[in-house]
Amino acid sequence: MKATVTAHRDYRIATIDDRLYGAFLEHLGRAIYSGVYEPGHPTADANGMRRDVIDLVRELKVPIVRYPGGNFVSAYNWEDGIGPRDKRPTRLDLAWHTSESNAVGVHEFADWSAAAGTEMMLAINLGSRGLDEARNFVEYVNGPTGSYWGDLRKANGRAEPFGVKHWCLGNEMDGPWQVGHKTAHEYGRLANETAKTLRAFDSSLELIVCGSSNSDMATYPEWERIVLEHCYDSVDHVSLHMYFANRAKNTAEYLALGEKLDAYIGTIASTIDFVRAAKRSRKKVTISFDEWNVWYHSNAQDREILAGAKGWPHAPRLLEDIYNFEDALQVGCILNTFIRRSDVVRIACIAQLVNVIAPIMTEPGGAAWRQTTFYPYYFASVFGRGDALQLSVKSPGYDAEVADNVPYVDISGVHDAEGKALTFFVVNRNPSETIDLDVSLQGFSAASVGDHQVLAGAPLEATNTLVAPTTITPKKGSGAAVADGSLTAKLPPHSYQMIRLNLA
Ligand code: AHR
């Protein structure tokens, strides 16, 4: 089987926004407690943050982290997480049926973000609360001393404003499961008034309004149209979410879901354009895809806790999906889709970062390790910065429920002019055939293979665990070559590859 691709230096989709490789941390399960924060851990720093986890987050070069939720934020009082720890209240978390000690709040998260080399993106509770708490939170975080909230922050140990630029106006407000769920009109008005108020404080904030929780919602995509008609002029990004699952144990259908993601992004891009035209606006609202990942392995084991059968445990094991090799292929396809839609997707956050549906897992008091999905995320984040190329792809394909002629070869290409590199991320969705890949390189200076990393040849159900953390690790590839202006490589069945070319 053969696939041919043309990559031309001048055929660009967009300069990829670094924020495309963001992540998400929620007060959920063990994401925070025994995930990033574990004061008694042998690697804990002076703030009680696990250094082993910080090192892995740094390895991933995560540019931005959304916090503190998620569904959690819709009944969260941000004030519970400030001031002396021994005075902070323990609250019931209605989203996940657990207890929240509030040992970590915005100050601790800021310290962690600085240590991990990442920027904060904060979510505001627009479920159980409203405009006043939103403005107080933003003033507390970013306001000057000499005013009430700035002075309180100083009294709590931080005189300098945190300078957080990105603010999410609630979370999944279209979802009936959300505390304070709203209709599109109710939410659109509230989001607009909140955005206007926050802009009166600082017009340069980047504000993210809730779009659909997924593209199967009954209100999608009317939700986006109505919400944006209320607030187009006062927000910057629409937030979308999507989780992927292979419940039917059908790998071909599962790996085709990137096509559904692509259609979802395309529909919302069109909805944005529609509202923009209706408003005669020049402003371009873009997409913040701030929750995406595989999520289904842990559903059954989580039921008891979510149903309240265990009372209100603090930081229990929840949403601890153990990812397999098949999921790594899926994450490769998802990231390729974001790179190909980087003209409109400016921010994306893998959900989540540690322990909870995450590429990084930890054991309390013990090790931290990389899940299978760590690797495609790592390669895209580290080597996928630059210009996304508009590739012309001719690949054999197959018909799936979500789309016809899904190409076996899922590929994206990124040109890093400054670093003189051209990188391809390639998934072969074919279960049994090796595909001969031929990429015609046009307009590029002489190229040679600089790095070639492969995930292949493992059972689809293979996992990395505490006792066997390196079952799935990338291997150095062989056989990729550049000659006569073409890159050739062999793509084994069900494989992921990162091929990085050095340019002269
Ligand atoms: O990431 C887990 C949950 O998924 C988030 O809390 C919520 O926003 C989404 O439904």
Side-chain angles (χ1 to χ4, degrees), residues 325 329 375-376 378-380 382-383 422-428 437 449-457 472-480 487 489-492 494-501:
F325 175 53
L329 301 178
Y375 296 105
Y378 165 82
F379 287 126
V382 173
F383 300 117
L422 173 58
T423 306
F424 296 100
F425 306 98
V426 199
V427 176
N428 179 2
L437 177 71
V449 177
D451 195 4
H452 181 194
Q453 298 289 332
V454 181
L455 296 169
I472 299 294
T473 46
K475 305 278 178 303
K476 196 111 190 110
S478 61
L487 161 70
K490 288 211 180 296
L491 311 178
H494 279 159
S495 61
Y496 169 91
Q497 317 210 15
M498 188 281 294
I499 306 173
R500 188 164 175 82
L501 305 184

mmCIF file of all heavy atoms in Angstrom, residues 325 329 375-376 378-380 382-383 422-428 437 449-457 472-480 487 489-492 494-501:
data_model
loop_
_atom_site.group_PDB
_atom_site.id
_atom_site.type_symbol
_atom_site.label_atom_id
_atom_site.label_comp_id
_atom_site.label_asym_id
_atom_site.label_seq_id
_atom_site.Cartn_x
_atom_site.Cartn_y
_atom_site.Cartn_z
ATOM 1 N N PHE A 325 -1.922 1.247 24.069
ATOM 2 C CA PHE A 325 -1.221 1.656 22.847
ATOM 3 C C PHE A 325 -2.199 2.264 21.821
ATOM 4 O O PHE A 325 -1.900 3.264 21.164
ATOM 5 C CB PHE A 325 -0.491 0.443 22.273
ATOM 6 C CG PHE A 325 0.175 0.699 20.961
ATOM 7 C CD1 PHE A 325 1.048 1.769 20.797
ATOM 8 C CD2 PHE A 325 -0.068 -0.119 19.870
ATOM 9 C CE1 PHE A 325 1.661 2.018 19.577
ATOM 10 C CE2 PHE A 325 0.544 0.115 18.654
ATOM 11 C CZ PHE A 325 1.398 1.186 18.503
ATOM 12 N N LEU A 329 -2.274 6.012 19.719
ATOM 13 C CA LEU A 329 -2.531 6.310 18.304
ATOM 14 C C LEU A 329 -3.633 7.367 18.191
ATOM 15 O O LEU A 329 -3.548 8.294 17.373
ATOM 16 C CB LEU A 329 -2.956 5.037 17.555
ATOM 17 C CG LEU A 329 -1.964 3.867 17.551
ATOM 18 C CD1 LEU A 329 -2.557 2.669 16.816
ATOM 19 C CD2 LEU A 329 -0.639 4.274 16.910
ATOM 20 N N TYR A 375 3.549 10.160 24.993
ATOM 21 C CA TYR A 375 4.528 10.322 23.916
ATOM 22 C C TYR A 375 4.035 11.150 22.725
ATOM 23 O O TYR A 375 4.731 12.087 22.305
ATOM 24 C CB TYR A 375 5.085 8.956 23.515
ATOM 25 C CG TYR A 375 5.834 8.354 24.670
ATOM 26 C CD1 TYR A 375 5.296 7.323 25.428
ATOM 27 C CD2 TYR A 375 7.059 8.887 25.071
ATOM 28 C CE1 TYR A 375 5.969 6.817 26.542
ATOM 29 C CE2 TYR A 375 7.739 8.382 26.174
ATOM 30 C CZ TYR A 375 7.190 7.356 26.898
ATOM 31 O OH TYR A 375 7.859 6.871 28.002
ATOM 32 N N PRO A 376 2.860 10.850 22.153
ATOM 33 C CA PRO A 376 2.423 11.714 21.043
ATOM 34 C C PRO A 376 2.229 13.170 21.497
ATOM 35 O O PRO A 376 2.479 14.102 20.721
ATOM 36 C CB PRO A 376 1.104 11.085 20.581
ATOM 37 C CG PRO A 376 0.733 10.076 21.601
ATOM 38 C CD PRO A 376 1.963 9.702 22.350
ATOM 39 N N TYR A 378 3.965 14.625 23.899
ATOM 40 C CA TYR A 378 5.333 15.140 24.041
ATOM 41 C C TYR A 378 5.897 15.556 22.675
ATOM 42 O O TYR A 378 6.414 16.661 22.505
ATOM 43 C CB TYR A 378 6.208 14.062 24.693
ATOM 44 C CG TYR A 378 7.691 14.320 24.576
ATOM 45 C CD1 TYR A 378 8.332 15.186 25.459
ATOM 46 C CD2 TYR A 378 8.444 13.716 23.571
ATOM 47 C CE1 TYR A 378 9.697 15.441 25.340
ATOM 48 C CE2 TYR A 378 9.796 13.968 23.446
ATOM 49 C CZ TYR A 378 10.414 14.831 24.325
ATOM 50 O OH TYR A 378 11.757 15.087 24.193
ATOM 51 N N PHE A 379 5.793 14.642 21.684
ATOM 52 C CA PHE A 379 6.395 14.950 20.380
ATOM 53 C C PHE A 379 5.747 16.184 19.749
ATOM 54 O O PHE A 379 6.438 17.034 19.193
ATOM 55 C CB PHE A 379 6.295 13.737 19.445
ATOM 56 C CG PHE A 379 7.227 12.625 19.815
ATOM 57 C CD1 PHE A 379 6.759 11.335 20.027
ATOM 58 C CD2 PHE A 379 8.588 12.865 19.974
ATOM 59 C CE1 PHE A 379 7.626 10.316 20.382
ATOM 60 C CE2 PHE A 379 9.470 11.842 20.334
ATOM 61 C CZ PHE A 379 8.976 10.565 20.538
ATOM 62 N N ALA A 380 4.414 16.269 19.841
ATOM 63 C CA ALA A 380 3.732 17.418 19.229
ATOM 64 C C ALA A 380 4.118 18.710 19.954
ATOM 65 O O ALA A 380 4.421 19.725 19.317
ATOM 66 C CB ALA A 380 2.220 17.213 19.267
ATOM 67 N N VAL A 382 6.769 19.408 21.809
ATOM 68 C CA VAL A 382 8.185 19.798 21.738
ATOM 69 C C VAL A 382 8.604 20.124 20.299
ATOM 70 O O VAL A 382 9.347 21.073 20.057
ATOM 71 C CB VAL A 382 9.069 18.696 22.352
ATOM 72 C CG1 VAL A 382 10.552 18.990 22.137
ATOM 73 C CG2 VAL A 382 8.775 18.571 23.849
ATOM 74 N N PHE A 383 8.096 19.351 19.333
ATOM 75 C CA PHE A 383 8.570 19.528 17.949
ATOM 76 C C PHE A 383 7.514 20.136 17.017
ATOM 77 O O PHE A 383 7.801 20.357 15.836
ATOM 78 C CB PHE A 383 9.044 18.180 17.389
ATOM 79 C CG PHE A 383 10.171 17.582 18.182
ATOM 80 C CD1 PHE A 383 10.018 16.375 18.841
ATOM 81 C CD2 PHE A 383 11.388 18.248 18.302
ATOM 82 C CE1 PHE A 383 11.053 15.823 19.593
ATOM 83 C CE2 PHE A 383 12.431 17.713 19.044
ATOM 84 C CZ PHE A 383 12.269 16.503 19.700
ATOM 85 N N LEU A 422 11.756 20.580 9.708
ATOM 86 C CA LEU A 422 10.452 20.243 9.134
ATOM 87 C C LEU A 422 10.054 18.913 9.765
ATOM 88 O O LEU A 422 10.778 17.922 9.637
ATOM 89 C CB LEU A 422 10.585 20.115 7.614
ATOM 90 C CG LEU A 422 9.399 19.608 6.827
ATOM 91 C CD1 LEU A 422 8.171 20.486 7.041
ATOM 92 C CD2 LEU A 422 9.752 19.573 5.330
ATOM 93 N N THR A 423 8.914 18.907 10.482
ATOM 94 C CA THR A 423 8.553 17.718 11.252
ATOM 95 C C THR A 423 7.213 17.169 10.783
ATOM 96 O O THR A 423 6.260 17.930 10.590
ATOM 97 C CB THR A 423 8.477 18.063 12.758
ATOM 98 O OG1 THR A 423 9.712 18.678 13.134
ATOM 99 C CG2 THR A 423 8.263 16.826 13.604
ATOM 100 N N PHE A 424 7.144 15.860 10.632
ATOM 101 C CA PHE A 424 5.895 15.188 10.288
ATOM 102 C C PHE A 424 5.490 14.277 11.441
ATOM 103 O O PHE A 424 6.336 13.568 12.015
ATOM 104 C CB PHE A 424 6.051 14.363 9.005
ATOM 105 C CG PHE A 424 6.349 15.215 7.805
ATOM 106 C CD1 PHE A 424 7.648 15.342 7.336
ATOM 107 C CD2 PHE A 424 5.331 15.924 7.164
ATOM 108 C CE1 PHE A 424 7.933 16.145 6.241
ATOM 109 C CE2 PHE A 424 5.610 16.731 6.070
ATOM 110 C CZ PHE A 424 6.910 16.849 5.604
ATOM 111 N N PHE A 425 4.199 14.309 11.755
ATOM 112 C CA PHE A 425 3.617 13.409 12.750
ATOM 113 C C PHE A 425 2.665 12.501 11.981
ATOM 114 O O PHE A 425 1.730 12.997 11.336
ATOM 115 C CB PHE A 425 2.861 14.205 13.815
ATOM 116 C CG PHE A 425 3.712 15.280 14.463
ATOM 117 C CD1 PHE A 425 3.623 16.606 14.037
ATOM 118 C CD2 PHE A 425 4.606 14.964 15.477
ATOM 119 C CE1 PHE A 425 4.411 17.590 14.612
ATOM 120 C CE2 PHE A 425 5.401 15.943 16.051
ATOM 121 C CZ PHE A 425 5.306 17.263 15.630
ATOM 122 N N VAL A 426 2.899 11.200 12.013
ATOM 123 C CA VAL A 426 2.169 10.305 11.125
ATOM 124 C C VAL A 426 1.596 9.104 11.882
ATOM 125 O O VAL A 426 2.328 8.417 12.607
ATOM 126 C CB VAL A 426 3.091 9.726 10.022
ATOM 127 C CG1 VAL A 426 2.270 9.194 8.861
ATOM 128 C CG2 VAL A 426 4.115 10.724 9.552
ATOM 129 N N VAL A 427 0.304 8.860 11.694
ATOM 130 C CA VAL A 427 -0.320 7.654 12.231
ATOM 131 C C VAL A 427 -0.759 6.792 11.060
ATOM 132 O O VAL A 427 -1.365 7.298 10.108
ATOM 133 C CB VAL A 427 -1.545 7.997 13.115
ATOM 134 C CG1 VAL A 427 -2.256 6.720 13.581
ATOM 135 C CG2 VAL A 427 -1.124 8.842 14.315
ATOM 136 N N ASN A 428 -0.451 5.502 11.117
ATOM 137 C CA ASN A 428 -1.012 4.542 10.157
ATOM 138 C C ASN A 428 -2.177 3.842 10.851
ATOM 139 O O ASN A 428 -1.975 3.072 11.799
ATOM 140 C CB ASN A 428 0.036 3.534 9.703
ATOM 141 C CG ASN A 428 -0.560 2.525 8.720
ATOM 142 O OD1 ASN A 428 -1.740 2.611 8.354
ATOM 143 N ND2 ASN A 428 0.245 1.564 8.293
ATOM 144 N N LEU A 437 5.323 5.473 2.504
ATOM 145 C CA LEU A 437 5.020 6.912 2.479
ATOM 146 C C LEU A 437 6.048 7.631 1.622
ATOM 147 O O LEU A 437 7.257 7.398 1.765
ATOM 148 C CB LEU A 437 5.061 7.467 3.913
ATOM 149 C CG LEU A 437 4.834 8.962 4.057
ATOM 150 C CD1 LEU A 437 3.376 9.331 3.773
ATOM 151 C CD2 LEU A 437 5.208 9.435 5.471
ATOM 152 N N VAL A 449 17.364 13.507 7.489
ATOM 153 C CA VAL A 449 16.601 13.034 8.646
ATOM 154 C C VAL A 449 17.405 13.330 9.918
ATOM 155 O O VAL A 449 18.527 12.858 10.081
ATOM 156 C CB VAL A 449 16.301 11.514 8.532
ATOM 157 C CG1 VAL A 449 15.578 11.024 9.786
ATOM 158 C CG2 VAL A 449 15.466 11.233 7.286
ATOM 159 N N GLY A 450 16.827 14.143 10.803
ATOM 160 C CA GLY A 450 17.509 14.516 12.043
ATOM 161 C C GLY A 450 17.086 13.622 13.197
ATOM 162 O O GLY A 450 17.897 13.243 14.038
ATOM 163 N N ASP A 451 15.814 13.291 13.244
ATOM 164 C CA ASP A 451 15.321 12.428 14.318
ATOM 165 C C ASP A 451 14.124 11.653 13.776
ATOM 166 O O ASP A 451 13.385 12.146 12.912
ATOM 167 C CB ASP A 451 14.913 13.262 15.538
ATOM 168 C CG ASP A 451 14.738 12.416 16.798
ATOM 169 O OD1 ASP A 451 15.014 11.201 16.752
ATOM 170 O OD2 ASP A 451 14.313 12.976 17.827
ATOM 171 N N HIS A 452 13.952 10.460 14.269
ATOM 172 C CA HIS A 452 12.866 9.610 13.799
ATOM 173 C C HIS A 452 12.485 8.712 14.966
ATOM 174 O O HIS A 452 13.269 7.884 15.406
ATOM 175 C CB HIS A 452 13.375 8.792 12.587
ATOM 176 C CG HIS A 452 12.338 7.888 11.994
ATOM 177 N ND1 HIS A 452 12.642 6.894 11.104
ATOM 178 C CD2 HIS A 452 10.989 7.820 12.163
ATOM 179 C CE1 HIS A 452 11.536 6.264 10.738
ATOM 180 N NE2 HIS A 452 10.521 6.806 11.374
ATOM 181 N N GLN A 453 11.277 8.899 15.479
ATOM 182 C CA GLN A 453 10.833 8.141 16.658
ATOM 183 C C GLN A 453 9.554 7.393 16.321
ATOM 184 O O GLN A 453 8.663 7.943 15.663
ATOM 185 C CB GLN A 453 10.566 9.103 17.829
ATOM 186 C CG GLN A 453 11.794 9.877 18.286
ATOM 187 C CD GLN A 453 12.797 8.999 19.010
ATOM 188 O OE1 GLN A 453 12.443 7.996 19.634
ATOM 189 N NE2 GLN A 453 14.077 9.362 18.917
ATOM 190 N N VAL A 454 9.460 6.173 16.785
ATOM 191 C CA VAL A 454 8.362 5.292 16.370
ATOM 192 C C VAL A 454 7.715 4.609 17.574
ATOM 193 O O VAL A 454 8.403 4.138 18.480
ATOM 194 C CB VAL A 454 8.907 4.188 15.416
ATOM 195 C CG1 VAL A 454 7.792 3.269 14.960
ATOM 196 C CG2 VAL A 454 9.611 4.807 14.222
ATOM 197 N N LEU A 455 6.380 4.568 17.536
ATOM 198 C CA LEU A 455 5.621 3.691 18.441
ATOM 199 C C LEU A 455 4.937 2.671 17.552
ATOM 200 O O LEU A 455 4.075 3.050 16.734
ATOM 201 C CB LEU A 455 4.548 4.485 19.208
ATOM 202 C CG LEU A 455 5.002 5.569 20.175
ATOM 203 C CD1 LEU A 455 3.817 6.423 20.630
ATOM 204 C CD2 LEU A 455 5.682 4.960 21.404
ATOM 205 N N ALA A 456 5.317 1.421 17.650
ATOM 206 C CA ALA A 456 4.760 0.399 16.748
ATOM 207 C C ALA A 456 5.011 -0.985 17.309
ATOM 208 O O ALA A 456 5.815 -1.166 18.237
ATOM 209 C CB ALA A 456 5.416 0.505 15.365
ATOM 210 N N GLY A 457 4.291 -1.938 16.745
ATOM 211 C CA GLY A 457 4.589 -3.347 17.012
ATOM 212 C C GLY A 457 4.137 -3.846 18.369
ATOM 213 O O GLY A 457 4.521 -4.943 18.773
ATOM 214 N N ILE A 472 5.437 0.675 26.779
ATOM 215 C CA ILE A 472 5.328 1.445 25.538
ATOM 216 C C ILE A 472 6.239 2.663 25.649
ATOM 217 O O ILE A 472 5.971 3.597 26.422
ATOM 218 C CB ILE A 472 3.865 1.909 25.301
ATOM 219 C CG1 ILE A 472 2.916 0.709 25.182
ATOM 220 C CG2 ILE A 472 3.773 2.804 24.063
ATOM 221 C CD1 ILE A 472 3.124 -0.172 23.976
ATOM 222 N N THR A 473 7.320 2.630 24.904
ATOM 223 C CA THR A 473 8.211 3.800 24.825
ATOM 224 C C THR A 473 8.640 3.935 23.364
ATOM 225 O O THR A 473 8.748 2.933 22.656
ATOM 226 C CB THR A 473 9.489 3.649 25.684
ATOM 227 O OG1 THR A 473 10.025 2.360 25.453
ATOM 228 C CG2 THR A 473 9.226 3.840 27.149
ATOM 229 N N PRO A 474 8.900 5.150 22.919
ATOM 230 C CA PRO A 474 9.300 5.324 21.527
ATOM 231 C C PRO A 474 10.650 4.676 21.250
ATOM 232 O O PRO A 474 11.527 4.654 22.115
ATOM 233 C CB PRO A 474 9.398 6.839 21.362
ATOM 234 C CG PRO A 474 9.004 7.444 22.639
ATOM 235 C CD PRO A 474 8.835 6.403 23.671
ATOM 236 N N LYS A 475 10.772 4.140 20.047
ATOM 237 C CA LYS A 475 12.053 3.554 19.621
ATOM 238 C C LYS A 475 12.572 4.399 18.462
ATOM 239 O O LYS A 475 11.791 4.962 17.687
ATOM 240 C CB LYS A 475 11.855 2.117 19.115
ATOM 241 C CG LYS A 475 11.159 1.187 20.115
ATOM 242 C CD LYS A 475 12.141 0.633 21.144
ATOM 243 C CE LYS A 475 11.484 -0.261 22.183
ATOM 244 N NZ LYS A 475 10.387 0.295 22.969
ATOM 245 N N LYS A 476 13.874 4.448 18.356
ATOM 246 C CA LYS A 476 14.492 5.158 17.242
ATOM 247 C C LYS A 476 14.061 4.464 15.946
ATOM 248 O O LYS A 476 14.155 3.237 15.840
ATOM 249 C CB LYS A 476 16.011 5.075 17.405
ATOM 250 C CG LYS A 476 16.742 6.052 16.571
ATOM 251 C CD LYS A 476 17.413 7.142 17.436
ATOM 252 C CE LYS A 476 17.935 8.252 16.553
ATOM 253 N NZ LYS A 476 17.250 9.503 16.637
ATOM 254 N N GLY A 477 13.560 5.244 14.976
ATOM 255 C CA GLY A 477 13.106 4.658 13.719
ATOM 256 C C GLY A 477 14.267 4.412 12.768
ATOM 257 O O GLY A 477 15.347 4.975 12.928
ATOM 258 N N SER A 478 14.022 3.561 11.798
ATOM 259 C CA SER A 478 15.058 3.352 10.782
ATOM 260 C C SER A 478 14.361 3.331 9.424
ATOM 261 O O SER A 478 13.157 3.102 9.328
ATOM 262 C CB SER A 478 15.783 2.032 11.014
ATOM 263 O OG SER A 478 14.854 0.974 10.914
ATOM 264 N N GLY A 479 15.117 3.604 8.400
ATOM 265 C CA GLY A 479 14.575 3.458 7.054
ATOM 266 C C GLY A 479 13.991 4.723 6.467
ATOM 267 O O GLY A 479 13.708 4.767 5.267
ATOM 268 N N ALA A 480 13.806 5.780 7.272
ATOM 269 C CA ALA A 480 13.337 7.033 6.672
ATOM 270 C C ALA A 480 14.530 7.681 5.973
ATOM 271 O O ALA A 480 15.645 7.691 6.508
ATOM 272 C CB ALA A 480 12.785 7.962 7.737
ATOM 273 N N LEU A 487 10.930 12.643 0.881
ATOM 274 C CA LEU A 487 11.125 11.837 2.088
ATOM 275 C C LEU A 487 10.384 10.520 1.876
ATOM 276 O O LEU A 487 9.197 10.531 1.507
ATOM 277 C CB LEU A 487 10.532 12.571 3.304
ATOM 278 C CG LEU A 487 10.236 11.715 4.541
ATOM 279 C CD1 LEU A 487 11.534 11.261 5.214
ATOM 280 C CD2 LEU A 487 9.389 12.504 5.552
ATOM 281 N N ALA A 489 9.426 6.760 3.796
ATOM 282 C CA ALA A 489 9.441 6.041 5.073
ATOM 283 C C ALA A 489 8.432 4.909 4.998
ATOM 284 O O ALA A 489 7.484 4.963 4.210
ATOM 285 C CB ALA A 489 9.073 6.982 6.219
ATOM 286 N N LYS A 490 8.648 3.909 5.829
ATOM 287 C CA LYS A 490 7.689 2.806 5.914
ATOM 288 C C LYS A 490 6.866 2.997 7.184
ATOM 289 O O LYS A 490 7.421 3.246 8.265
ATOM 290 C CB LYS A 490 8.423 1.466 5.975
ATOM 291 C CG LYS A 490 9.052 1.085 4.649
ATOM 292 C CD LYS A 490 9.107 -0.427 4.455
ATOM 293 C CE LYS A 490 9.735 -0.796 3.122
ATOM 294 N NZ LYS A 490 8.978 -0.343 1.950
ATOM 295 N N LEU A 491 5.544 2.882 7.035
ATOM 296 C CA LEU A 491 4.657 3.042 8.184
ATOM 297 C C LEU A 491 4.088 1.670 8.540
ATOM 298 O O LEU A 491 3.189 1.167 7.858
ATOM 299 C CB LEU A 491 3.506 3.993 7.839
ATOM 300 C CG LEU A 491 3.872 5.328 7.172
ATOM 301 C CD1 LEU A 491 2.611 6.126 6.859
ATOM 302 C CD2 LEU A 491 4.805 6.143 8.067
ATOM 303 N N PRO A 492 4.594 1.036 9.601
ATOM 304 C CA PRO A 492 4.059 -0.272 9.984
ATOM 305 C C PRO A 492 2.569 -0.166 10.349
ATOM 306 O O PRO A 492 2.090 0.932 10.672
ATOM 307 C CB PRO A 492 4.882 -0.660 11.212
ATOM 308 C CG PRO A 492 5.996 0.314 11.294
ATOM 309 C CD PRO A 492 5.616 1.528 10.526
ATOM 310 N N HIS A 494 -0.802 0.050 12.341
ATOM 311 C CA HIS A 494 -1.091 0.638 13.656
ATOM 312 C C HIS A 494 0.173 1.214 14.294
ATOM 313 O O HIS A 494 0.713 0.677 15.276
ATOM 314 C CB HIS A 494 -1.718 -0.393 14.593
ATOM 315 C CG HIS A 494 -3.184 -0.572 14.342
ATOM 316 N ND1 HIS A 494 -3.881 -1.684 14.719
ATOM 317 C CD2 HIS A 494 -4.103 0.229 13.746
ATOM 318 C CE1 HIS A 494 -5.157 -1.571 14.360
ATOM 319 N NE2 HIS A 494 -5.315 -0.413 13.762
ATOM 320 N N SER A 495 0.645 2.297 13.700
ATOM 321 C CA SER A 495 1.878 2.884 14.222
ATOM 322 C C SER A 495 1.771 4.401 14.300
ATOM 323 O O SER A 495 0.924 5.025 13.633
ATOM 324 C CB SER A 495 3.063 2.520 13.311
ATOM 325 O OG SER A 495 2.834 3.035 12.011
ATOM 326 N N TYR A 496 2.640 4.972 15.108
ATOM 327 C CA TYR A 496 2.794 6.431 15.233
ATOM 328 C C TYR A 496 4.260 6.758 14.987
ATOM 329 O O TYR A 496 5.141 6.048 15.478
ATOM 330 C CB TYR A 496 2.409 6.891 16.648
ATOM 331 C CG TYR A 496 2.793 8.334 16.919
ATOM 332 C CD1 TYR A 496 1.913 9.380 16.664
ATOM 333 C CD2 TYR A 496 4.065 8.655 17.400
ATOM 334 C CE1 TYR A 496 2.282 10.701 16.886
ATOM 335 C CE2 TYR A 496 4.445 9.979 17.619
ATOM 336 C CZ TYR A 496 3.542 10.990 17.359
ATOM 337 O OH TYR A 496 3.904 12.296 17.567
ATOM 338 N N GLN A 497 4.514 7.811 14.227
ATOM 339 C CA GLN A 497 5.914 8.200 14.007
ATOM 340 C C GLN A 497 6.062 9.723 14.046
ATOM 341 O O GLN A 497 5.168 10.451 13.612
ATOM 342 C CB GLN A 497 6.417 7.765 12.632
ATOM 343 C CG GLN A 497 6.013 6.395 12.238
ATOM 344 C CD GLN A 497 7.020 5.721 11.313
ATOM 345 O OE1 GLN A 497 8.147 6.162 11.172
ATOM 346 N NE2 GLN A 497 6.597 4.654 10.691
ATOM 347 N N MET A 498 7.208 10.143 14.525
ATOM 348 C CA MET A 498 7.613 11.546 14.433
ATOM 349 C C MET A 498 8.901 11.561 13.604
ATOM 350 O O MET A 498 9.888 10.926 13.994
ATOM 351 C CB MET A 498 7.864 12.105 15.834
ATOM 352 C CG MET A 498 8.113 13.594 15.919
ATOM 353 S SD MET A 498 9.774 14.141 15.464
ATOM 354 C CE MET A 498 10.767 13.429 16.752
ATOM 355 N N ILE A 499 8.851 12.226 12.456
ATOM 356 C CA ILE A 499 10.045 12.289 11.604
ATOM 357 C C ILE A 499 10.434 13.760 11.485
ATOM 358 O O ILE A 499 9.651 14.594 10.983
ATOM 359 C CB ILE A 499 9.774 11.710 10.199
ATOM 360 C CG1 ILE A 499 9.196 10.282 10.310
ATOM 361 C CG2 ILE A 499 11.053 11.702 9.368
ATOM 362 C CD1 ILE A 499 8.738 9.681 8.989
ATOM 363 N N ARG A 500 11.608 14.063 11.967
ATOM 364 C CA ARG A 500 12.064 15.466 11.974
ATOM 365 C C ARG A 500 13.229 15.611 11.010
ATOM 366 O O ARG A 500 14.256 14.930 11.141
ATOM 367 C CB ARG A 500 12.486 15.844 13.391
ATOM 368 C CG ARG A 500 12.804 17.331 13.567
ATOM 369 C CD ARG A 500 12.811 17.655 15.053
ATOM 370 N NE ARG A 500 13.219 19.011 15.343
ATOM 371 C CZ ARG A 500 12.423 20.076 15.292
ATOM 372 N NH1 ARG A 500 11.161 19.944 14.920
ATOM 373 N NH2 ARG A 500 12.882 21.269 15.619
ATOM 374 N N LEU A 501 13.036 16.494 10.038
ATOM 375 C CA LEU A 501 14.083 16.726 9.051
ATOM 376 C C LEU A 501 14.852 17.984 9.405
ATOM 377 O O LEU A 501 14.261 19.010 9.785
ATOM 378 C CB LEU A 501 13.470 16.892 7.656
ATOM 379 C CG LEU A 501 12.552 15.755 7.166
ATOM 380 C CD1 LEU A 501 12.101 16.031 5.733
ATOM 381 C CD2 LEU A 501 13.259 14.407 7.257
#
